[in-house]
Amino acid sequence: MRLRKAVVGWGFATPFTVLFAVFMAGPVLASLAMSFTDLSSADIRNPLAVDFVVFDQYAKLLTDHRFVKAAGNTAIFVLAGVPLTMMAGLAVAIGLSSGLTKFRGLFRVGYYLPVVTSIVAISVVWRFLLQPETGLVNNLLALIGVSGPHWLDDTTFALPSLIVMSTWRNLGFLMVIFLAGLQAIPQSLYEAARLDGASRWNQFRYVTLPMLRPTMLFAAVITTIGYLQFFEEPFVMTQGEPLDSTLSISYHIYNQFGFGNYGYASAMSYVLFVSIVALSLVWFRLLRSDDK
């Protein structure tokens, strides 16, 4: 009977295992091996000509000013975008959980709609909104006597514009996560806090935030992973310009693969992977529960 159960179990698991090995694990391990070589498009027809360069590709990243610039842009995008998106999502979730009872469902749909909309379509719309002369944003600023800048053509405003757009698009997802976390908090805790004379701010500080730590951890990790890989926004809206001020690591990797620098692009991919793991561990360290 035990053998029969094992055979049946492996029979169900084998198709997925094979597909995972062929389409996931295999390419991941192959790209890791590529990162230690100088493989390029010129070597595809003659793989034996590829040289094993060990860590030369990784060392090359330190002297690649475009990679350093892309890493800095990605760091700014994450450090500014993740807290901003989390605060916006939490604020909307608290607002929807405490008021607007009649239209709560409508607002939830409205805030979540950008999440399920194509990022390419959203980026194209925002590109039109941020046009210097015909865009809606500058036209609204002109009504109050303010001359809007060239948002996507100015090195000062291009990356912040992408951060604001990404925050607007992703706050709906975090709103749903935080709403679920808020609904899981026992109301008896708030009643006890009110009986002790706690103000709304103290209820939020000493009840809501501590109880939301697991939810905040999940939201922070998911948002950080997504923002470290941001690609569509600069690809559609700025092409990494002006002067590489919106160039991200993912977009730089895409360009290197397009140029045929497969070994070098693979090395950048694994640097990005290690960065994602490291920042995820930082979030676990900061937001993990103190309960033993």
Side-chain angles (χ1 to χ4, degrees):
M1 181 64 69
R2 184 177 300 177
L3 177 61
R4 183 181 301 175
K5 289 182 178 180
V7 171
V8 172
W10 278 107
F12 280 110
T14 297
F16 169 78
T17 304
V18 172
L19 291 175
F20 179 82
V22 172
F23 294 105
M24 294 292 293
V28 167
L29 295 176
S31 64
L32 178 61
M34 286 167 51
S35 70
F36 298 109
T37 70
D38 62 351
L39 181 67
S40 65
S41 58
D43 302 319
I44 293 298
R45 296 184 179 180
N46 187 17
L48 297 179
V50 176
D51 293 327
F52 185 70
V53 296
V54 196
F55 294 107
D56 287 359
Q57 299 286 25
Y58 293 92
K60 183 180 176 182
L61 296 175
L62 299 177
T63 59
D64 182 356
H65 72 278
R66 295 200 72 198
F67 175 78
V68 173
K69 181 68 173 178
N73 293 337
T74 303
I76 294 172
F77 195 88
V78 171
L79 293 176
V82 171
L84 189 61
T85 307
M86 290 185 63
M87 287 189 294
L90 180 57
V92 172
I94 292 175
L96 291 179
S97 65
S98 60
L100 299 173
T101 304
K102 186 175 181 180
F103 301 101
R104 186 178 300 171
L106 180 62
F107 277 94
R108 287 181 181 179
V109 172
Y111 282 115
Y112 193 75
L113 192 59
V115 179
V116 296
T117 304
S118 168
I119 180 59
V120 175
I122 289 176
S123 298
V124 170
V125 170
W126 272 79
R127 184 176 177 84
F128 282 113
L129 292 176
L130 296 174
Q131 288 295 314
E133 297 180 357
T134 60
L136 178 63
V137 174
N138 279 0
N139 285 332
L140 292 176
L141 291 176
L143 295 178
I144 58 175
V146 177
S147 178
H150 290 217
W151 297 101
L152 300 179
D153 299 322
D154 192 316
T155 56
T156 303
F157 297 102
L159 187 59
S161 298
L162 298 188
I163 293 173
V164 170
M165 188 271 284
S166 297
T167 299
W168 169 83
R169 178 180 184 263
N170 293 294
L171 71 87
F173 173 74
L174 296 189
M175 172 202 69
V176 173
I177 300 300
F178 285 129
L179 275 173
L182 289 170
Q183 292 172 359
I185 299 176
Q187 291 299 312
S188 58
L189 296 178
Y190 292 107
E191 294 173 1
R194 284 193 292 268
L195 288 175
D196 289 337
S199 63
R200 284 184 174 271
W201 167 249
N202 285 332
Q203 292 177 41
F204 174 76
R205 181 180 178 183
Y206 295 109
V207 178
T208 304
L209 287 182
M211 296 298 293
L212 279 180
R213 288 184 71 174
T215 305
M216 293 177 67
L217 173 60
F218 174 78
V221 171
I222 292 298
T223 308
T224 299
I225 292 174
Y227 280 12
L228 278 170
Q229 301 178 82
F230 86 104
F231 168 79
E232 294 89 347
E233 296 89 340
F235 179 76
V236 176
M237 298 178 67
T238 63
Q239 293 77 52
E241 300 297 333
L243 300 176
D244 291 338
S245 61
T246 59
L247 181 68
S248 67
I249 294 180
S250 294
Y251 191 36
H252 193 36
I253 292 172
Y254 167 81
N255 287 334
Q256 291 302 314
F257 269 111
F259 297 151
N261 301 323
Y262 303 134
Y264 188 50
S266 297
M268 283 192 286
S269 299
Y270 274 90
V271 169
L272 180 60
F273 168 74
V274 171
S275 301
I276 291 173
V277 172
L279 284 178
S280 298
L281 292 176
V282 169
W283 280 122
F284 274 98
R285 179 71 176 177
L286 293 176
L287 296 175
R288 66 180 180 180
S289 175
D290 294 330
D291 297 336
K292 302 297 183 182

